[in-house]
Amino acid sequence: MAISTSETRQARLKRFLTEEAKAVGFDAVAFTTPDKIPQAPQRLRQYIAEGCHADMAWMEETEERRANPSVLWPEVRSIMMLAMNYGPETDPLALLERKDRGAISVYARNRDYHDIVKGKLKHVASRFAARAGQDVKVFVDTAPVMEKPLAQAAGLGWQGKHTNLVSREHGSWLFLGSIFTTAEIPPDEADRDHCGSCRACLDACPTKAFPAPYRIDARRCISYLTIENKGPIPLEFRKPIGNRIYGCDDCLAVCPWNKFAQATHEMKLKARDDLNAPRLADFLQLDDSAFRTFFSGSPVKRIGRDRFLRNVLIAAGNSQDLSLLPQVEALLRDEAPQVRGAAIWAFRQLAAPDHIAALQKELAPSEQDATVQAEWTMEEI
């Protein structure tokens, strides 16, 4: 049977897109259509109804567009899903034993991946638009796109029990991006679940953020608590957080499929030397200007100095490192209530009882913020 001209053209466009994507550094490419995630709307609706999105109001505000690509862009006919490996060169879990150091999630140890991935997506999309004469839109994960279900539908991998994408070729360390187009591109076959009876990711979570396999409660997730959460870290999670000061890699790092993973080849994603195992002492002395300079171009910068110092102080309190006590004590008088509150908790973990009583007598009566003042008498869980 002869292949029609239109089918031949579609195949050529698909090959062109794939070659262009690989040429700029994407490690995996696959195609799907906007109707291939029919279960997504109900799952998203349930997730939000149960409050598992915590205070990330943008998920509720964009629910309809997020759940259905055709609502986001009615003209879309094909979706190209692209993955870029950001695998670390060493096991990130080893750093958790070095209590005087801060553990920053692997993805945030160099340049902001949004900028890197989006730049490459725009290059591929513009080349394709010129070749095909079709409209295109590019998205990284700041847009209301359910990238992981779409990536599974396209065949890039499957959503593991930790809800992240897992690939047999690349393990768990993948950034995702998408190119929506009005062109008709032959879709690939969806991948199937290869988790089997394994529950390593579920058991590894320090804060028990998985109420069941394939479900995550952001309210208990360290990545949410240290990044998206704008308030104090709830008391029950402070000790389990350990020295994780920005994000968490535990559920990703323990996945057995990472035995096939390799370190990233993208230089801008390789860890900076000063973010591989940074000293907590160095971060405790950051003012706003120094914070912005040190984290220029980094995703860490977006949470701001006060939220970051909150995280560092929790790690300091967990460190048992008495050499940090003078710096912690100095932050009891910081201008930011968020920093003062975390400093009180860290101070109470490190200081002797009489030292705590003296500072409480001096500082608590003058404290105007009720949440901060409560830190002096908060009972440990």
Side-chain angles (χ1 to χ4, degrees), residues 19 80 122 127 132 216 225 246 271-272 292-293 380-381:
E19 291 172 353
M80 180 185 191
K122 286 183 175 180
R127 293 270 294 166
I216 186 169
L225 292 167
Y246 188 91
R272 287 166 39 180
R292 291 177 177 276
T293 299
E380 291 295 333
I381 293 177

Side-chain angles (χ1 to χ4, degrees), residues 317-360:
N318 287 325
S319 71
Q320 300 180 335
D321 184 353
L322 296 184
S323 71
L324 299 177
L325 187 55
Q327 290 176 290
V328 170
E329 184 173 338
L331 290 171
L332 293 172
R333 298 171 175 83
D334 193 83
E335 292 183 359
Q338 188 172 54
V339 174
R340 295 199 303 275
I344 292 169
W345 185 84
F347 180 72
R348 292 180 65 197
Q349 306 309 305
L350 298 175
D354 58 341
H355 195 180
I356 296 171
L359 266 293
Q360 181 176 354

Side-chain angles (χ1 to χ4, degrees), residues 96-142:
L96 301 180
E97 301 303 317
R98 302 176 67 182
K99 302 300 184 182
D100 65 326
R101 305 294 172 128
I104 293 175
S105 186
V106 170
Y107 84 86
R109 295 182 183 180
N110 203 323
R111 306 292 296 179
D112 191 330
Y113 76 92
H114 297 92
D115 298 334
I116 297 169
V117 173
K118 194 163 190 176
K120 294 178 183 292
L121 288 175
K122 286 183 175 180
H123 175 84
V124 175
S126 63
R127 293 270 294 166
F128 174 74
R131 170 69 67 93
Q134 298 284 345
D135 292 334
V136 294
K137 290 183 183 292
V138 302
F139 301 102
V140 191
D141 69 2
T142 52

Side-chain angles (χ1 to χ4, degrees), residues 253-332:
V254 299
C255 179
W257 286 100
N258 284 332
K259 64 186 176 183
F260 299 112
Q262 297 181 350
T264 182
H265 53 73
E266 172 58 59
M267 291 303 298
K268 292 178 181 178
L269 297 177
K270 289 182 180 292
R272 287 166 39 180
D273 289 340
D274 55 0
L275 291 182
N276 257 328
R279 297 170 64 244
L280 296 177
D282 294 337
F283 287 150
L284 287 171
Q285 61 190 3
L286 292 178
D287 59 18
D288 188 65
S289 176
F291 169 81
R292 291 177 177 276
T293 299
F294 186 84
F295 287 107
S296 177
S298 163
V300 177
K301 184 179 177 182
R302 79 178 182 87
I303 69 171
R305 177 260 185 185
D306 296 347
R307 220 187 303 179
F308 182 69
L309 261 290
R310 171 202 64 187
N311 299 342
V312 175
L313 283 160
I314 297 301
N318 287 325
S319 71
Q320 300 180 335
D321 184 353
L322 296 184
S323 71
L324 299 177
L325 187 55
Q327 290 176 290
V328 170
E329 184 173 338
L331 290 171
L332 293 172

Side-chain angles (χ1 to χ4, degrees), residues 113-184:
Y113 76 92
H114 297 92
D115 298 334
I116 297 169
V117 173
K118 194 163 190 176
K120 294 178 183 292
L121 288 175
K122 286 183 175 180
H123 175 84
V124 175
S126 63
R127 293 270 294 166
F128 174 74
R131 170 69 67 93
Q134 298 284 345
D135 292 334
V136 294
K137 290 183 183 292
V138 302
F139 301 102
V140 191
D141 69 2
T142 52
V145 176
M146 297 190 74
E147 293 173 317
K148 289 179 285 188
L150 284 168
Q152 178 166 340
L156 287 184
W158 70 97
Q159 279 190 265
K161 292 177 182 177
H162 51 21
T163 74
N164 292 294
L165 196 76
V166 185
S167 162
R168 285 179 290 178
E169 293 78 25
H170 304 287
S172 300
W173 310 105
L174 290 173
F175 291 136
L176 298 175
S178 58
I179 298 176
F180 286 30
T181 178
T182 54
E184 299 278 356

